[in-house]
Amino acid sequence: MQLTDKQKGVVRNVIPAAGLTVVGLCGVSLLLPLDMLPMDEPGARIAWALKWALLPVLTLMVTIMRVANHRFSTPEDIDGSGLTDGTPEVRVLRAVLQNTLEQAVLAGAAYAIWAVVTPYNWLRIIPIAALLFVAGRVLFARGYAQGAPGRATGFGLTAYPTFGMLATVGVALFFRLVIR
């Protein structure tokens, strides 16, 4: 299959995101001291995950605020999506908001599941994933207007940690069921 220039741009721009995800989750997280982790009991683990889920939720809040502030200050958009087609700027802001909502839901679920399923010292991955989420959302929003290649790095930094965590716990749970 021959890739288009846009597809080549996406591939070129997600490679750094993939690299940073691997380095962050598999390397940097190991530098975090174990004494920063909560007690090794289920309630404390969930509380730890929820504390770090605040970062994706705050990112979602900022994205909502950006749409609301734009609508308030733009007469063509003040009536909202249900009553107008929207200016190009609000359509971009809404697209970023929709993607951020989707990513935040997945991230929060991934952090909670990760906290329950993985070994205790793997809890260090959650803060790194949350920080990558925020960095990814900033890059995604800044690059959105440049099309698929422009948002690829941000998308990767947001999605790859979450996808990696969910895939890892999925495999772990599968093997727990099969080995029993």
Side-chain angles (χ1 to χ4, degrees):
M1 173 175 114
Q2 187 71 11
L3 297 179
T4 66
D5 287 341
K6 283 187 180 186
Q7 289 171 318
K8 290 176 187 175
V10 169
V11 170
R12 184 174 46 254
N13 291 339
V14 296
I15 290 172
L20 284 170
T21 297
V22 170
V23 168
L25 299 186
C26 298
V28 174
S29 66
L30 297 176
L31 300 176
L32 299 177
L34 284 175
D35 63 359
M36 76 176 279
L37 296 178
M39 292 185 306
D40 190 11
E41 65 95 20
R45 285 170 162 249
I46 292 290
W48 171 258
L50 288 175
K51 287 176 189 175
W52 287 103
L54 178 64
L55 291 179
V57 169
L58 288 174
T59 305
L60 178 60
M61 181 187 77
V62 168
T63 309
I64 292 168
M65 290 170 52
R66 289 183 69 213
V67 172
N69 288 335
H70 170 82
R71 283 187 175 147
F72 181 77
S73 63
T74 307
E76 301 86 10
D77 294 322
I78 198 165
D79 287 326
S81 301
L83 299 175
T84 67
D85 290 332
T87 62
E89 185 176 353
V90 82
R91 287 196 306 267
V92 168
L93 290 171
R94 285 189 336 235
V96 171
L97 171 57
Q98 180 64 40
N99 189 266
T100 302
L101 172 61
E102 295 161 359
Q103 297 292 340
V105 168
L106 277 179
Y111 302 170
I113 296 166
W114 186 267
V116 172
V117 173
T118 63
Y120 176 72
N121 63 339
W122 289 20
L123 293 178
R124 296 183 289 192
I125 284 176
I126 295 172
I128 302 301
L131 292 169
L132 289 171
F133 185 100
V134 172
R137 289 292 85 192
V138 169
L139 292 174
F140 183 85
R142 284 191 178 168
Y144 195 93
Q146 285 79 48
R151 63 183 185 260
T153 302
F155 181 86
L157 283 176
T158 304
Y160 293 165
T162 302
F163 294 173
M165 292 169 78
L166 290 171
T168 300
V169 295
V171 169
L173 290 172
F174 173 79
F175 280 111
R176 286 183 191 173
L177 289 172
V178 171
I179 292 175
R180 282 187 168 186

